[in-house]
Amino acid sequence: MDRREVLKALTLLSASAALPLTARAQPAPGRFAAADDGFLLDGQPFQVLAGEMHYPRIPRASWRDRMRKLKALGLNTLTTYVFWNAHEPKPGVYDFSDNLDVAAYVRLAQEEGLFVNLRPGPFVCAEWDGGGLPAWLFPTDDIGARSLDPRYFEPVKGWLKRLGQELAPLLIDRGGPIILTQIENEYGAYGSDQTYLNAQRQALVDAGFTGLLYTADPAEFFAKGSMPGVVGGINFGTMAKAKDEFAKRAQTRPQGPYMCTELWGGWFDSYGKLHETMPTQPLLDSLEWMLQNKYSISFYMLHGGTSFGFTPGANWDRKGYTPDIASYDYDALLDEAGRPTPKYEAVQALFKRYLPPEAFKPMPEPEPSIRAPHFTLHEVAPLSQLYGKAVLADAPRTLEALGQTHGLILYRHKTKSALKGKLSFGEVRDYALIGDGRGVQAILDRRFDETEAEIDIPAGQPLDVLVDTMGHCNYGAKIGKDQKGLIGAASLNGSPLQGWAHYALPLDDLSELTFAPGGATGPAFYRGTLRVEAPGFTFLDMRGWGKGYVWINGRNIGRYWSAGPQQTMFVPASWLKAGENEVVVLDLLTGGPRALSASPRQVWDLPGAV
């Protein structure tokens, strides 16, 4: 559809904006439909009671357990985002295997008697790296994210068509469980281009998503993000009052169907802050008001799980850059390990006052957990073992310009002369260790807008700048404009510093490492063995370590950092085996004893904690 066709369609839709849904020209209704006061399933009123859980954040072996806990709460629908950058790590290279088999996730939900509310994005926010948008999509910052810029939108259409091959056959009118499909995601908080939104809708339809579509926005952005003739949900949190939020929505659209598409029962965590927690009673108050009025609801999150590997995102606002932690516990109804919380029990008790007994399925047996006493990681391999062939350039280049989407990068400047004085960069994204190949002289942290440091590099030694990247911004003005590494020109005492070698360190393959007993004086990998009699979930206690990543039996379980608030790393039971399990920890900082322990207990930095 070209822009003229989109504008014509928009004009027609705008003319019908004031009409109730039932009065507008609608396609032949399917099994799931919208009325002015609610939803209809096979012609009968249907209240969507959903919980959001994300398949990449839950080990595949635990998908069924989490769904059964959703059913035990009295819910009837599973909500999930789809994460484009996880499925298309390189242009045209797709991955729907193992934990990314989203079609298997949807089919399993159907097996468990659940409907599915699908949120395919392509932008999803979700405290996920780049909001789900692939970093390779933005080699430069002039590409218009969430727009009709063909450099953005043509790949979007290609992705949605590929996703449609997986999921369009699972729409309810084709025998599957998908009853709702979202257009974009909270677009009103970002822009107001109805031409773009209509193009997004058409791209979904062209990909086979021909069922009931909807938008979702915070109530204050509903007018900008909703679409005439399209179901419009609103998102709000624990401390808001549902009655007030729907009153805001009514200023733009008084008719239904009425749905809280994200009921935030908690909040996400960022590095360097205390663990986020939310009170239960205000949540119950809003929930009860919606139950009394038979509004549809989707908990965000019912269960957050874990942002494994390099998947956590970051926010950008007036306070600057705030990267998100690996745990996506979210203070949700189920904790990071999938255990029911007191909040879950309180919500369940409320539901039992409004729903029939048959809505509640039995709670599954608790998953086993394990403990392990302190064990030492005796073997070491320096990070330098992974330095490959360098790319040379006059000025520092970003990871994206070099075709890298995550991990670390080493910038090296060699000169025969000594280097002393103020070293400056345009920006550092996101955390840089500056040294001379023998030790660290300075650290620059983007959270504090640090871009310069005093250095003293002896003659004959290299100037090394090792940059650890964290999440690409998933919210705010920096979406698509958060290229990683050293940004802009480098200078020493105000004079340009040219001639840089770039060593890519994506950390996707550690097989080339050679470990040996001993210690290290710089960034290094440490290896040890976790012995267990039988698999069970656990949390590795990272206190005493600095900043880096952890692998269990070759799987990257995520990023850790002593900055907190997260001090333990979740290890799924299904990623362990009886007997010996390999544990590898990359620590960028020199520190204390290289030892770990494990227990079922999460450790957080909390208000008042000592």
Side-chain angles (χ1 to χ4, degrees), residues 35-100:
D36 288 338
D37 58 352
F39 294 108
L40 301 173
L41 177 64
D42 296 329
Q44 299 301 312
F46 183 83
Q47 184 179 20
V48 177
L49 297 175
E52 185 143 353
M53 304 189 295
H54 301 148
Y55 55 98
R57 285 173 159 151
I58 307 168
R60 182 167 180 162
S62 296
W63 286 353
R64 191 182 299 274
D65 171 84
R66 306 302 190 264
M67 291 179 190
R68 288 182 174 177
K69 288 169 180 170
L70 185 154
K71 291 281 289 183
L73 190 62
L75 305 183
N76 55 33
T77 302
L78 169 69
T79 299
T80 187
Y81 279 127
V82 180
F83 302 88
W84 179 10
N85 54 6
H87 292 287
E88 193 177 0
K90 296 179 181 179
V93 177
Y94 298 101
D95 185 0
F96 290 95
S97 64
D98 192 27
N99 240 79
L100 296 178

Side-chain angles (χ1 to χ4, degrees), residues 2-20:
D2 63 25
R3 192 173 182 88
R4 287 176 297 178
E5 291 173 320
V6 172
L7 286 170
K8 182 179 178 181
L10 178 59
T11 301
L12 293 173
L13 284 167
S14 297
S16 68
L19 297 174

Side-chain angles (χ1 to χ4, degrees), residues 18 20 28 170 179 206 261 328 338 341 368 388 403 413 427 499 545:
L170 296 173
I179 56 174
D206 291 345
T261 36
Y328 203 51
T341 65
H413 175 80
E427 278 191 69
W545 294 77

Side-chain angles (χ1 to χ4, degrees), residues 173-255:
D173 290 333
R174 298 169 192 168
I178 298 173
I179 56 174
L180 288 163
T181 303
Q182 184 180 336
I183 302 168
E184 237 269 1
N185 181 58
E186 294 189 325
Y187 178 70
Y190 183 83
S192 57
D193 186 350
Q194 285 284 318
T195 306
Y196 164 71
L197 281 178
N198 275 284
Q200 279 283 4
R201 177 172 65 172
Q202 189 61 49
L204 281 170
V205 172
D206 291 345
F209 294 101
T210 54
L212 191 61
L213 304 179
Y214 74 99
T215 62
D217 295 277
E220 60 266 35
F221 300 115
F222 184 83
K224 294 170 63 179
S226 58
M227 301 173 66
V230 176
V231 172
I234 58 172
N235 305 340
F236 53 87
T238 295
M239 303 312 293
K241 293 182 178 180
K243 182 178 180 180
D244 295 342
E245 297 303 306
F246 279 97
K248 294 177 190 175
R249 177 192 182 277
Q251 295 172 11
T252 300
R253 185 184 299 175
Q255 69 272 8

Side-chain angles (χ1 to χ4, degrees), residues 434-441 521:
I434 302 172
D436 60 5
R438 300 177 300 181
V440 175
Q441 294 191 7
T521 57

